[in-house]
Amino acid sequence: MSGPSLRKLDAHRAIHDGAFMEAQSLTEMLNQLVEEKKEKEALQVADALIEHWEKRVITHADSEEEGLYKEVVEKEPEMQDKINMLTRDHDLLRIIAKKIRESLEKDSVSKEVLDFFASMLVVNEIHSRNEESWLLDYDHHHD
Ligand SMILES: [Fe+2]
Ligand SMILES: [Fe+2]
C-alpha cells in the first residue's frame, strides 16, 4: 500500500497493528509446535510466517522508503536523521528475515530461528511506534 493512506495516522497505524497481530499469533503457534516437537507443522508455519514478514511488513517498508519518507524529507529536511533511523530499522528487519530464510533452508526450525522471529516482533514494534509519533502525529502538528 502507498499513497495518501500512509500519511494518515489511523489508517497507517491499522496497517501496523494488523500485520503485527498476525505475526504475533503465527509466532505463538510456531513456538507451541516446536515445543510439541511437531516438526513438519512447525516448518509449514515458519514458512508462512517468514512470507508474512516479507510480503506484509518488508513490502510496506519498501513503499515507505519510496514514497512517504522522501516526501517528509523534501518538506522538512531536518527530519533526515529520524528518517535514517527508521530506515535502519527497516534494514534490521530485512537482515533478520534473510537470516531466517538461510536458516530455514536447513529444513528444520532451530532455536536460532525462533530467536530471530522473536526479535522481528520486538524491532517491528519499536519501529512502528516511533514512525507513528515522528511522522504521523507530526503531520497533525504541521498541517
Ligand atoms: Fe516503517
Ligand atoms: Fe509504517
Side-chain angles (χ1 to χ4, degrees), residues 48-119:
L49 183 52
I50 189 60
E51 194 165 311
H52 170 78
W53 280 113
E54 290 168 345
K55 296 259 161 73
R56 291 277 297 279
V57 179
I58 293 174
T59 304
H60 174 79
D62 293 340
S63 78
E64 288 173 338
E65 290 173 22
E66 287 159 17
L68 177 67
Y69 286 9
K70 284 186 181 153
E71 290 160 24
V72 167
V73 172
E74 263 169 43
K75 246 177 32 184
E76 308 266 337
E78 67 273 21
M79 291 294 289
Q80 185 69 61
D81 282 354
K82 287 201 162 67
I83 292 294
N84 290 348
M85 290 162 78
L86 293 170
T87 303
R88 174 61 184 175
D89 296 340
H90 289 169
D91 285 340
L92 288 173
L93 294 173
R94 294 180 180 110
I95 290 164
I96 301 167
K98 194 159 169 268
K99 287 178 180 292
I100 292 170
R101 276 284 177 207
E102 285 163 7
S103 199
L104 286 177
E105 275 167 22
K106 294 170 206 147
D107 276 338
S108 75
V109 181
S110 59
K111 168 81 168 64
E112 183 185 59
V113 166
L114 297 184
D115 289 346
F116 285 145
F117 275 129
S119 62

Side-chain angles (χ1 to χ4, degrees), residues 6 12-13 15-16 57 60-61 64 68-69 90 127-128 131-132 136:
L6 285 187
H12 196 142
R13 183 180 281 151
I15 293 169
H16 289 167
V57 179
H60 174 79
E64 288 173 338
L68 177 67
Y69 286 9
H90 289 169
H127 171 78
S128 296
E131 189 175 272
E132 287 157 14
L136 307 171

Side-chain angles (χ1 to χ4, degrees), residues 11-71:
H12 196 142
R13 183 180 281 151
I15 293 169
H16 289 167
D17 291 350
F20 183 86
M21 283 188 301
E22 194 172 334
Q24 194 174 39
S25 97
L26 282 170
T27 303
E28 277 167 19
M29 195 186 297
L30 177 61
N31 288 332
Q32 186 70 32
L33 289 168
V34 169
E35 203 172 303
E36 292 166 2
K37 304 203 184 320
K38 294 181 176 161
E39 287 176 27
K40 207 174 140 224
E41 290 96 328
L43 252 181
Q44 285 169 351
V45 172
D47 279 338
L49 183 52
I50 189 60
E51 194 165 311
H52 170 78
W53 280 113
E54 290 168 345
K55 296 259 161 73
R56 291 277 297 279
V57 179
I58 293 174
T59 304
H60 174 79
D62 293 340
S63 78
E64 288 173 338
E65 290 173 22
E66 287 159 17
L68 177 67
Y69 286 9
K70 284 186 181 153
E71 290 160 24

